[in-house]
Amino acid sequence: MDRIILDRVLHPNEEVSIEGPPMEAFRFQKGRPGALITLTDALGRDFRGRVLFVSAEKASVWVFSQFPSATESPLEIVLLQALPEKERMELIIQKTTELGVSRIIPFKSRRSISLEEREAKQKKAHRWQDIALKATQQSRRALVPRVEAYRSFEEALASCSEEGLRILLWEWQGKPLKEVLGSFSFQRVYGMVGPEGGFTQEEVEAARRMGFLPVKLGQRILRTETAAITLVALLQYEWGDLR
């Protein structure tokens, strides 16, 4: 549903019809006449197209170019982000989407602001998926990252049920990220980023029990948005498609 995949081979300079299951993804991406979208064909190749027509049941798209390589990384990155204050969540969603994150899970940690406190000041959470969609369109990605429902710290840990590397950014006693990346190789990474005040010792121990490995990004203390963006970029550089 997050990606428009057609069960046919595509070629530049042709008009194609979107209907059936791919139409759900088209609606999710808010396709409209004149919009530029990325399509994936039956061979897994990505193409750029312009929407010509949209009805309730189908849409037509003029395919005008093929990307020289896939727009999506082979690495799946799930970012678990402690909810920051002000506009920082919007920045995190925008920039990590451009860098190729797959999913974003906002959560409440001991030292972070709650969604209720944040919404009382200025309602923003309802815009998060739209921000991811706009960043996807700007970066010409084929897949729109899912910004999942806000949840507790414990629920965020429990949501990491599939196979993959689990890391938690902890500035005090974590292993250097460079050392960790040089020791493993994964196709899925769960990266947990804390609030400005960092994680508590109890949270770190709870994460460890769930298989998370504490890591750090050098000796300097980074803002939460800087840490999240840097983590995704380094993971993509090491194991993904950021070259």
Side-chain angles (χ1 to χ4, degrees):
M1 184 174 174
D2 308 32
R3 185 171 182 171
I4 304 171
I5 303 176
L6 304 182
D7 59 355
R8 54 162 293 179
V9 175
L10 298 180
H11 303 281
N13 301 316
E14 68 170 345
E15 184 176 341
V16 298
S17 179
I18 300 176
E19 52 190 318
M23 193 63 185
E24 293 298 317
F26 180 85
R27 293 192 190 98
F28 179 70
Q29 295 194 22
K30 299 184 178 179
R32 63 187 187 280
L36 296 175
I37 60 173
T38 299
L39 307 169
T40 303
D41 75 354
L43 299 178
R45 303 176 302 172
D46 292 331
F47 293 79
R48 198 66 172 159
R50 184 178 295 278
V51 180
L52 301 176
F53 166 81
V54 180
S55 71
E57 301 297 329
K58 66 179 182 178
S60 63
V61 176
W62 177 258
V63 178
F64 59 83
S65 66
Q66 177 184 346
F67 287 97
S69 59
T71 64
E72 292 304 316
S73 171
L75 177 65
E76 179 184 347
I77 301 174
V78 181
L79 175 65
L80 299 100
Q81 176 65 53
L83 188 63
E85 294 192 51
K86 301 181 180 179
E87 306 298 325
R88 294 174 184 171
M89 190 64 186
E90 287 75 21
L91 178 65
I92 291 168
I93 292 170
Q94 182 187 69
K95 298 309 177 185
T96 59
T97 294
E98 292 174 13
L99 288 166
V101 76
S102 302
R103 285 191 288 150
I104 301 171
I105 302 176
F107 68 92
K108 172 71 173 75
S109 69
R110 184 75 60 83
R111 293 170 177 161
S112 71
I113 190 172
S114 71
L115 183 61
E116 293 74 20
E117 292 171 320
R118 179 191 164 110
E119 292 286 271
K121 297 177 182 178
Q122 188 174 21
K123 292 186 180 297
K124 290 288 185 179
H126 66 283
R127 297 183 55 231
W128 288 346
Q129 190 62 63
D130 283 342
I131 290 169
L133 174 58
K134 290 177 181 177
T136 297
Q137 293 168 340
Q138 183 276 324
S139 58
R140 301 183 181 182
R141 289 185 61 182
L143 182 145
V144 182
R146 283 283 181 170
V147 183
E148 298 191 3
Y150 170 77
R151 61 199 65 181
S152 69
F153 176 79
E154 294 74 18
E155 290 170 332
L157 290 177
S159 65
C160 306
S161 58
E162 296 181 282
E163 190 67 28
L165 175 65
R166 297 167 175 82
I167 56 177
L168 172 143
L169 294 189
W170 195 38
E171 65 275 19
W172 297 112
Q173 297 178 27
K175 285 188 175 183
L177 179 63
K178 184 176 181 179
E179 178 181 324
V180 172
L181 296 183
S183 304
F184 301 97
S185 181
F186 286 88
Q187 291 184 315
R188 179 184 295 113
V189 179
Y190 297 95
M192 190 169 233
V193 181
E196 289 299 322
F199 290 110
T200 65
Q201 184 72 46
E202 292 76 15
E203 288 173 327
V204 173
E205 293 306 318
R208 276 188 169 132
R209 290 193 293 271
M210 294 296 289
F212 278 79
L213 178 66
V215 302
K216 60 182 178 180
L217 300 173
Q219 301 305 315
R220 290 177 290 278
I221 302 300
L222 305 179
R223 284 186 178 274
T224 187
E225 68 272 24
T226 308
I229 295 167
T230 301
L231 176 63
V232 173
L234 290 174
L235 290 171
Q236 289 287 32
Y237 178 78
E238 189 68 25
W239 293 337
D241 61 354
L242 193 60
R243 295 288 187 266

